[in-house]
């Protein structure tokens, strides 16, 4: 994994291992790790969505539980595409675009090391995949509902260390209560972002239409004269 520098909520720069920065179905995401593992060896992975604001990438933390559950389903599909060496909906992106992007309270999950290795494979460089995981084993993952934004998610193996019937299991954290205003502010931010983006696009379209009309007027009547001339 290559290194990338990010900025935390206190504006301090920190370095992480980049798992993948990519688009999936026209939405951009960043997955990185600090190489934290639990007693079972599962790797902690941070996942954030990358939006564009005024032409610059910005980080969005996925607090909504329904959206977070969809992200887990997306990860399975991404792993399958990487393993199959296809690029149906997956498009890798240049990490230089998000160098030192600000990350605030990222949400994370824990992934079996074998699947985490696949998730980071063939990113920007061609690599041979030698991890033995069947497509059906990935399909058999079961995603359970996640109750609170700071719950952890662990992809577990069944007995005998096989990948059959893999499940994702929520882990309750101590004192997981989050003030309502923090979650609503984050959600409202995304809604506001898209509203402003739509308004800007409408203004750009109106401006372009006005300029076209002006050019047509000039072509027909010539340059406009300033008052008093």
């Amino acid at each position: 994994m290559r290194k990338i520098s990010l900025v935390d909520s206190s504006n301090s720069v920190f370095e992480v291992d980049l798992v993948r920065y990519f688009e999936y179905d026209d939405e951009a995401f960043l997955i990185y790790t600090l190489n934290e593992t639990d007693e079972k060896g599962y790797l902690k992975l941070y996942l954030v969505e990358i939006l564009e604001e005024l032409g610059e990438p910005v980080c969005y933390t996925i607090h909504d539980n329904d959206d977070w559950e969809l992200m887990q389903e997306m990860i399975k599909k991404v792993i399958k595409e990487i393993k199959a060496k296809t690029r149906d909906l997956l498009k890798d992106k240049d990490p230089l675009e998000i160098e030192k992007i600000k990350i605030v309270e990222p949400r994370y999950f824990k992934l079996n090391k074998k699947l985490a290795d696949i998730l980071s494979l063939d990113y920007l460089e061609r690599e041979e995949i030698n991890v033995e995981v069947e497509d059906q084993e990935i399909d058999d993952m079961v995603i359970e509902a996640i109750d609170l934004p700071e719950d952890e998610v662990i992809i577990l193996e069944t007995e005998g260390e096989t990948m059959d019937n893999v499940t994702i299991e929520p882990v309750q954290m101590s004192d997981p209560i989050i003030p309502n205003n923090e979650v609503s502010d984050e959600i409202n931010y995304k809604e506001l972002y898209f509203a402003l983006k739509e308004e800007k696009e409408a203004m750009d379209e109106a401006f372009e239409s006005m300029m076209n009309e002006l050019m047509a007027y000039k072509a027909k009547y010539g340059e406009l004269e300033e008052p008093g001339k």
Side-chain angles (χ1 to χ4, degrees):
M1 295 181 189
R2 65 175 60 197
K3 301 289 185 180
I4 185 173
S5 295
L6 304 174
V7 176
D8 63 20
S9 57
S10 60
N11 293 321
S12 298
V13 177
F14 65 104
E15 193 174 64
V16 303
D17 280 333
L18 176 64
V19 176
R20 208 168 204 97
Y21 171 44
F22 62 97
E23 277 188 12
Y24 192 82
D25 200 13
D26 296 325
E27 292 187 291
F29 302 95
L30 166 65
I31 300 177
Y32 66 91
T33 181
L34 298 174
N35 289 310
E36 304 158 284
T37 57
D38 63 13
E39 65 280 359
K40 295 182 179 179
Y42 298 115
L43 185 65
K44 187 174 181 178
L45 300 176
Y46 296 86
L47 167 66
V48 293
E49 186 175 358
I50 305 298
L51 304 175
E52 185 178 295
E53 181 178 320
L54 300 178
E56 296 294 330
V58 293
C59 169
Y60 170 71
T61 299
I62 305 168
H63 282 305
D64 182 81
N65 287 324
D66 291 336
D67 289 343
W68 182 249
E69 187 172 341
L70 291 175
M71 292 304 98
Q72 306 308 304
E73 292 290 346
M74 178 199 68
I75 292 301
K76 292 196 296 184
K77 295 175 182 177
V78 169
I79 290 174
K80 289 186 68 174
E81 285 200 16
I82 296 170
K83 179 179 177 296
K85 298 183 179 180
T86 62
R87 287 294 185 271
D88 295 330
L89 296 175
L90 173 64
K91 297 178 182 178
D92 288 324
K93 295 176 66 68
D94 186 351
L96 291 179
E97 297 177 0
I98 53 171
E99 182 75 20
K100 294 186 179 178
I101 194 172
K102 190 168 186 177
I103 307 289
V104 179
E105 297 181 354
R107 197 166 181 179
Y108 61 87
F109 59 97
K110 291 182 180 179
L111 189 62
N112 176 280
K113 185 64 168 61
K114 191 157 51 167
L115 295 177
D117 286 343
I118 295 179
L119 191 56
S120 65
L121 275 173
D122 201 17
Y123 177 52
L124 302 182
E125 299 176 358
R126 301 301 299 179
E127 299 173 284
E128 290 299 322
I129 298 177
N130 55 12
V131 181
E132 296 183 0
V133 178
E134 297 295 329
D135 285 350
Q136 187 59 48
E137 294 172 350
I138 300 172
D139 286 335
D140 286 342
M141 294 181 194
V142 178
I143 312 296
E144 297 183 10
I146 305 167
D147 296 328
L148 294 169
E150 288 191 358
D151 288 350
E152 296 181 36
V153 181
I154 302 179
I155 296 183
L156 299 171
E157 291 186 2
T158 55
E159 293 183 3
E161 295 301 316
T162 68
M163 289 295 295
D164 293 331
N165 299 320
V166 179
T167 60
I168 293 186
E169 183 177 283
V171 179
Q172 297 294 330
M173 301 181 68
S174 58
D175 191 22
I177 299 175
I178 298 178
N180 289 334
N181 63 319
E182 292 187 14
V183 177
S184 61
D185 286 348
E186 193 70 41
I187 295 173
N188 289 340
Y189 169 79
K190 189 173 184 180
E191 292 176 352
L192 179 60
Y193 163 77
F194 284 114
L196 290 175
K197 183 178 180 182
E198 183 177 350
E199 181 180 351
K200 181 179 181 299
E201 290 173 350
M203 291 178 63
D204 289 344
E205 184 177 346
F207 179 75
E208 183 179 358
S209 176
M210 181 180 68
M211 291 300 296
N212 289 337
E213 290 180 7
L214 179 60
M215 294 299 293
Y217 182 91
K218 286 183 177 181
K220 186 174 182 179
Y221 299 105
E223 292 290 336
L224 298 175
E225 294 186 0
E226 294 183 11
K229 287 189 175 182

